[in-house]
Amino acid sequence: DAMVIQNPRYQVTQFGKPVTLSCSQTLNHNVMYWYQQKSSQAPKLLFHYYDKDFNNEADTPDNFQSRRPNTSFCFLDIRSPGLGDAAMYLCATSRKGETQYFGPGTRLLVL
Amino acid sequence: AQSVTQPDIHITVSEGASLELRCNYSYGATPYLFWYVQSPGQGLQLLLKYFSGDTLVQGIKGFEAEFKRSQSSFNLRKPSVHWSDAAEYFCAGTTNTGNQFYFGTGTSLTVIP
């Protein structure tokens, strides 16, 4: 019954080593989002896809990229993770202007 | 600018007591408003939402919220809190014209015996 799936739930990477987080959905929603959430803070939107249209937030570092090969899947690529990128990464989906449904998140640890 | 504000960073209530978490919004158009709950290390779970119509909305786990346009508020309430309600609560808003979702900074709820 899982609707928004994130893999893996925990990811450990080394400083500077590229890492990819994945998100898939069974809701057929046209919008997919990636958020970064640090401890005791609100989720911070990194970018979102409206269908195939990529929308980057102005303050999202270039180190973060995303791919959406089809409606169901969306990936977050961190090209050179730094210690400051350790966080929970949340994927969400929605129809435009409607409720966002969140996945369980991937906790990233950078060593 | 569109925004959602949660004035209370942390609230402590006794088990069985009533709860009210505050949320204020700033939107030009009628907003769509949401309350989410997040347990430690977990994703966000939707408690309830308001799009239009009846200003008192019922959600899961016994929660309700009331949209008050005159006060620009969408406060979350529960008549009797359970220990399992201890979590972080986020208010969020959007409009039907866009994809941008605005989160409040969250309210951490502690429930004491």
Side-chain angles (χ1 to χ4, degrees), chain B residues 92-105:
Chain B
T94 188
T95 66
N96 64 347
T97 58
N99 295 316
Q100 183 65 279
F101 221 64
Y102 297 91
F103 277 95
T105 50

Side-chain angles (χ1 to χ4, degrees), chain A residues 49-73:
Chain A
Y49 273 95
Y50 179 38
D51 291 325
K52 293 184 178 181
D53 293 334
F54 179 69
N55 298 271
N56 198 33
E57 294 301 298
D59 57 354
T60 298
D62 293 340
N63 197 27
F64 291 86
Q65 303 287 320
S66 185
R67 296 169 285 134
R68 189 179 186 186
N70 54 52
T71 299
S72 300
F73 285 86

Side-chain angles (χ1 to χ4, degrees), chain A residues 4 6 35 43 90-93 100-105, chain B residues 36 43-45 101 103:
Chain A
V4 183
Q6 290 189 246
Y35 289 87
L90 296 167
C91 174
T93 76
Q100 289 194 14
Y101 293 90
F102 285 81
Chain B
Y36 288 87
L44 278 70
Q45 181 183 20
F101 221 64
F103 277 95

Side-chain angles (χ1 to χ4, degrees), chain B residues 78-98:
Chain B
K78 186 170 185 177
S80 178
V81 170
H82 188 262
W83 64 266
S84 60
D85 293 324
E88 189 83 16
Y89 290 80
F90 291 99
C91 182
T94 188
T95 66
N96 64 347
T97 58

Side-chain angles (χ1 to χ4, degrees), chain A residues 35-54:
Chain A
Y35 289 87
Q36 179 192 65
Q37 187 181 27
K38 296 191 176 181
S39 181
S40 302
Q41 296 183 19
K44 179 181 180 299
L45 183 63
L46 295 173
F47 26 59
H48 73 273
Y49 273 95
Y50 179 38
D51 291 325
K52 293 184 178 181
D53 293 334
F54 179 69

Side-chain angles (χ1 to χ4, degrees), chain B residues 30-42:
Chain B
T30 299
Y32 293 172
L33 296 166
F34 309 83
W35 275 99
Y36 288 87
V37 61
Q38 186 179 35
S39 296
Q42 302 297 315

